[in-house]
Amino acid sequence: MPHARNRNPSPIPEVTWDTGLKEMNETWKGAIACLGVAVFFVMTIGIIYWQVVDQPNKNWILRGTFSGLIWERRTHSLVIQTLTEDKTFLEIDVGNVGNPDIEVPFVRNLCWLNKTEFCYTWDSVAEVKISLDVNEETETECYSMTWTPVLCHVELKDCFSMTNVSWYGGASVQGQTWPINDQNATMQPFTVSDLKDNPSGFGSALERYFLGSSGVAVLVSPDIPLQLGVDSRQQFCLQSLPGMERLPLQYTVCVARDVKAAHQEAAQQLSQHSRELPNMKALWQPFWKLLTNVDSGPKVERELRIFSNRLKRHQLGEGVISLNEHSTTLLSDMDHDYCNVRKRGMSKRLTRDLPLVKLLNISITLSPFLGVDTTQFHTSLKDGTEAFWLSLPSAPQGQLIPVMSRWQGRFCVKLNITNPGAVSWFLDRVGSLQAHLGMEYVMLEGGEGNLFEEQALRAPQDLSGDKYIRLLADLATRIGDSTIVTAGTRSSHKPLFVRMTPLQSDWSLMGLKGIIPSLLHHTLLGYNFLIPDAVGGSLSGDLVTDEELFIRWLEIAAFLPVISFHTAPWVYGNAQVINLTQAYIVKHQRDVVPLIEKYAEEWQMTGNPIYRPMWWLSPSDPMTFTIDDQFLIGDKVLVAPVVEKGAVRRDIYLPDGGFQWQDSQNAQVFDGGTFLQDYPVPLEEVAVFVGRS
């Protein structure tokens, strides 16, 4: 029988071994658990550190050939920089999207298959789509941005920084500045209003276009309702209108090598139409406003005769005598015989019953308003043509009720410019007056504002925003190329003259000092053919009593497209004022009009403005970005008038255009880039420098 072996030769009892092993396992388990907690803690700290400290603040979203779009996660900003990050074109604050207290990575591109597009969604707030278009021929890169609300009643708001960027464009305001950085405007609809009735609003000219000195242009979608606000020296903001329609906020940002190149690219996008010239004959004639307060057509006729004789007596040449709407109405009321004869089928030639008026060169003033106390309005209610006036139905299928408003102190209705019958009626009225009075020029005013929105009424879709003004420009074009309008938006290509906003009779930005900023603003937006406000200012309607103001204003007006007068020079009883007026009218006709005609052809071909800011010649020179009291006609004529009361000296900066500048008065020659301090400019003169190659 074999010897049985001892299964446990160890002197340690088996039970004791098992207990020790269990104790060791518990010890190791505790250590491993502690180690796991420590690793988890370190990982958590690392993730927090990466998110807060180590993660880069900038995330490149899109890259072009020389620029790129960056997301600044801490400031909730989109930034367009050069790829080398040595220049910032633009910073857009979008911090209102989502919760600004929570950092948004903004790096998850939902359009990752397409390297020229970026898509992202903020849950329950908005979707954004950004596309990049590179134009190698013009060396510009454009970022098209569309923000769309996910839910109804969401306001979208993007703010464009003014830090280190001078901005131009947008809309006219009271006290126009150049650049717009010093302006203030509360958030409001970005539409044209009458600045006389709404001094804190936006006036004409207005375009959805902003230009920055860093070489950036912002073009906003033209057909989507929009609000604009400007915070002086900080930012301007675009904001969508909240509503059930979930309206998007849509704009394009184009960057180029400098501000001039950015504008030239934007000008091509602003207007795809061929550019047409108005009647250039108007540039050769001063416009004289007839100030009269009479109550009949024959009295208006007599005042016209007296005023015309005074112009001849003072040798002020052949000009255009402008009649206001009241005087126009009085003269047209003398046309009853014409109307009756026309009904009998007789020719127009036999109905001209105002031969004296027809011998004069006059302009008349019309508006789309008609008094509710007139026979024409009551007749329209009887014959069923109430649809000729802007109206709303009394019920969903009810009768149309004309919407009333006030114009020139009267209760009026306004022409329904979307009604072909109403437009034909208005054109017939103009044709009747042309046959009756023989006038060449027609001032068409009263287009500003939106009759429905001003009264908190829902406007028809085809009359929302500024659509009335655009349709009125179409109507003005049908009248003829000698028509003058008082409001312009998306119509700079049409053969029309645009009257600048009336100014105060003083030396402030709302008066004399505002002429050049307004001039540069209009021409930047494409409105080159201006009827400037009358010499001395006409806002108050009173005669200008400051003789020095009249002279300094006249000196500027002589270099504008048209010289217009509200105060006649003979009211001062001073031969010097009359002689200066004669001299500057001649100078305008001899020297300025040919220049305008020359650069008008360039504008037609290229879109380059006739009147240009200083940075046009030196677009990388920061000195030129804020000069608001000098302007160029073309490239080689620089005008530097005096705009300070009592001054006979002024500082002048001659930009570097690659040539020298010669003073037209004393023939002194200066290099480009020269700063002239306290340069003498006597009361009777204006500083003009001509470029010499």
Side-chain angles (χ1 to χ4, degrees):
M1 174 176 196
H3 179 69
R5 290 186 177 180
N6 188 353
R7 290 175 175 267
N8 185 14
S10 173
I12 303 174
E14 189 172 349
V15 66
T16 306
W17 171 259
D18 293 341
T19 304
L21 182 61
K22 289 178 181 178
E23 289 177 355
M24 286 185 64
N25 287 342
E26 293 297 331
T27 302
W28 279 103
K29 286 179 181 178
I32 292 172
C34 290
L35 180 62
V37 171
V39 171
F40 177 77
F41 180 75
V42 171
M43 289 178 64
T44 303
I45 294 297
I47 291 172
I48 294 174
Y49 177 83
W50 177 77
Q51 287 184 336
V52 178
V53 179
D54 193 49
Q55 183 182 6
N57 288 327
K58 296 181 179 180
N59 297 119
W60 289 89
I61 293 174
L62 293 172
R63 295 174 188 261
T65 57
F66 66 88
S67 73
L69 182 64
I70 297 170
W71 170 247
E72 286 271 8
R73 67 185 183 89
R74 286 188 181 175
T75 59
H76 281 213
S77 297
L78 290 169
V79 180
I80 301 179
Q81 290 184 329
T82 54
L83 295 179
T84 56
E85 299 186 42
D86 60 347
K87 177 181 178 179
T88 297
F89 292 99
L90 176 66
E91 181 176 349
I92 308 171
D93 179 9
V94 298
N96 68 297
V97 179
N99 187 344
D101 297 326
I102 299 176
E103 291 185 358
V104 181
F106 203 93
V107 292
R108 297 189 297 276
N109 188 0
L110 304 180
C111 301
W112 60 274
L113 289 175
N114 189 337
K115 292 186 178 181
T116 62
E117 288 188 351
F118 178 88
C119 308
Y120 187 80
T121 301
W122 273 279
D123 293 339
S124 303
V125 180
E127 298 173 346
V128 62
K129 183 175 181 180
I130 306 172
S131 59
L132 171 62
D133 178 42
V134 177
N135 189 328
E136 295 181 357
E137 183 179 346
T138 60
E139 297 181 344
T140 56
E141 298 181 353
C142 295
Y143 299 82
S144 299
M145 306 192 186
T146 302
W147 301 84
T148 306
V150 173
L151 301 175
C152 304
H153 303 293
V154 171
E155 288 184 349
L156 300 174
K157 180 180 177 182
D158 285 2
C159 295
F160 301 78
S161 174
M162 291 180 172
T163 303
N164 299 322
V165 182
S166 295
W167 285 97
Y168 318 94
S172 296
V173 296
Q174 248 194 10
Q176 186 73 44
T177 62
W178 178 273
I180 67 172
N181 293 46
D182 289 329
Q183 294 177 11
N184 260 314
T186 57
M187 188 65 68
Q188 58 187 292
F190 192 44
T191 55
V192 177
S193 59
D194 189 334
L195 293 181
K196 191 171 183 179
D197 298 330
N198 182 21
S200 61
F202 300 119
S204 173
L206 179 150
E207 295 293 340
R208 295 188 172 199
Y209 166 51
F210 300 87
L211 178 68
S213 60
S214 57
V216 59
V218 179
L219 299 107
V220 187
S221 176
D223 297 317
I224 299 174
L226 180 74
Q227 296 186 94
L228 175 73
V230 184
D231 298 324
S232 177
R233 302 191 181 184
Q234 298 182 41
Q235 60 187 11
F236 68 90
C237 299
L238 306 176
Q239 183 170 299
S240 65
L241 296 178
M244 296 297 294
E245 298 89 352
R246 295 195 300 124
L247 296 172
L249 183 61
Q250 199 170 49
Y251 56 87
T252 298
V253 177
C254 295
V255 294
R257 63 183 179 274
D258 55 46
V259 60
K260 177 181 177 181
H263 173 68
Q264 289 176 320
E265 170 66 19
Q268 300 307 314
Q269 296 192 33
L270 268 176
S271 178
Q272 304 294 327
H273 306 277
S274 60
R275 305 174 187 90
E276 299 181 69
L277 297 178
N279 182 2
M280 302 296 280
K281 189 173 72 172
L283 307 184
W284 295 87
Q285 305 172 93
F287 278 63
W288 302 88
K289 182 174 288 187
L290 180 67
L291 300 179
T292 183
N293 185 23
V294 295
D295 56 5
S296 70
K299 291 180 180 178
V300 173
E301 193 177 5
R302 185 181 67 247
E303 293 293 325
L304 276 169
R305 185 190 309 115
I306 293 172
F307 192 83
S308 176
N309 289 336
R310 282 185 173 178
L311 290 176
K312 293 175 182 177
R313 187 185 317 137
H314 293 290
Q315 300 178 349
L316 292 169
E318 293 293 328
V320 179
I321 304 177
S322 302
L323 302 179
N324 61 21
E325 189 174 11
H326 176 65
S327 296
T328 301
T329 302
L330 292 176
L331 284 181
S332 67
D333 286 344
M334 299 173 64
D335 197 23
H336 298 307
D337 292 340
Y338 164 76
C339 294
N340 295 330
V341 171
R342 188 179 181 188
K343 288 179 182 178
R344 293 195 297 268
M346 295 179 65
S347 68
K348 293 181 181 179
R349 187 177 60 83
L350 298 177
T351 66
R352 297 174 178 176
D353 54 346
L354 287 176
L356 174 63
V357 173
K358 291 181 69 65
L359 291 174
L360 301 177
N361 196 2
I362 68 171
S363 75
I364 64 169
T365 302
L366 299 174
S367 78
F369 290 95
L370 182 68
V372 296
D373 57 349
T374 60
T375 303
Q376 295 99 314
F377 175 65
H378 290 284
T379 301
S380 71
L381 296 180
K382 294 177 183 177
D383 61 16
T385 56
E386 63 271 10
F388 279 19
W389 321 112
L390 295 180
S391 308
L392 288 174
S394 56
Q397 301 297 326
Q399 183 180 1
L400 288 176
I401 305 297
V403 178
M404 281 202 303
S405 63
R406 290 185 67 84
W407 171 252
Q408 306 288 11
R410 301 171 63 193
F411 284 105
C412 296
V413 289
K414 195 170 187 179
L415 186 75
N416 182 0
I417 206 163
T418 64
N419 185 310
V423 171
S424 295
W425 171 84
F426 191 87
L427 290 173
D428 284 346
R429 182 186 174 202
V430 176
S432 169
L433 287 169
Q434 285 176 327
H436 184 51
L437 304 177
M439 80 288 177
E440 186 170 4
Y441 301 96
V442 177
M443 171 85 75
L444 193 55
E445 60 183 14
E448 301 88 341
N450 188 301
L451 187 63
F452 297 100
E453 294 171 5
E454 288 170 356
Q455 300 183 40
L457 300 172
R458 186 179 181 86
Q461 183 61 35
D462 52 0
L463 286 173
S464 61
D466 279 331
K467 292 178 181 176
Y468 193 97
I469 296 175
R470 301 206 298 268
L471 293 171
L472 194 65
D474 293 338
L475 173 60
T477 304
R478 293 177 64 179
I479 293 174
D481 62 1
S482 298
T483 309
I484 305 161
V485 294
T486 57
T489 182
R490 296 180 65 188
S491 58
S492 62
H493 61 284
K494 294 183 179 297
L496 301 171
F497 292 95
V498 177
R499 189 188 71 184
M500 293 173 68
T501 302
L503 298 171
Q504 294 180 1
S505 301
D506 59 32
W507 298 81
S508 71
L509 278 172
M510 299 176 68
L512 174 70
K513 218 174 272 187
I515 299 174
I516 297 176
S518 293
L519 170 71
L520 296 175
H521 168 78
H522 277 76
T523 57
L524 183 79
L525 299 185
Y527 297 92
N528 290 275
F529 303 100
L530 307 166
I531 305 293
D533 191 28
V535 171
S538 68
L539 184 62
S540 68
D542 299 327
L543 296 178
V544 181
T545 57
D546 187 336
E547 188 175 306
E548 181 190 359
L549 177 69
F550 182 92
I551 292 173
R552 288 303 192 190
W553 204 304
L554 172 67
E555 291 169 353
I556 299 175
F559 293 89
L560 303 184
V562 173
I563 307 179
S564 62
F565 293 90
H566 175 85
T567 301
W570 56 76
V571 302
Y572 297 101
N574 185 340
Q576 180 196 26
V577 176
I578 296 177
N579 292 338
L580 281 173
T581 302
Q582 294 169 347
Y584 275 109
I585 289 175
V586 170
K587 184 175 185 63
H588 175 265
Q589 295 169 337
R590 184 190 64 219
D591 300 334
V592 179
V593 174
L595 269 177
I596 296 174
E597 291 178 331
K598 172 186 175 181
Y599 289 106
E601 295 179 5
E602 181 182 328
W603 170 76
Q604 272 193 293
M605 291 185 294
T606 67
N608 291 342
I610 297 173
Y611 292 88
R612 302 167 184 178
M614 295 299 106
W615 50 252
W616 192 265
L617 292 181
S618 190
S620 298
D621 182 359
M623 278 284 291
T624 63
F625 295 158
T626 57
I627 296 177
D628 63 353
D629 56 359
Q630 303 176 192
F631 60 90
L632 298 164
I633 306 178
D635 281 346
K636 292 195 173 182
V637 175
L638 186 152
V639 183
V642 170
V643 295
E644 299 286 347
K645 183 176 178 60
V648 290
R649 293 177 175 271
R650 58 154 295 167
D651 295 341
I652 300 173
Y653 184 68
L654 304 174
D656 187 1
F659 48 80
Q660 293 181 312
W661 293 99
Q662 184 176 47
D663 188 329
S664 63
Q665 296 285 348
N666 56 31
Q668 280 187 276
V669 177
F670 304 92
D671 292 331
T674 300
F675 180 77
L676 305 176
Q677 189 171 15
D678 288 336
Y679 199 73
V681 187
L683 178 62
E684 299 82 8
E685 297 178 7
V686 57
V688 179
F689 295 83
V690 179
R692 289 179 45 182
S693 301

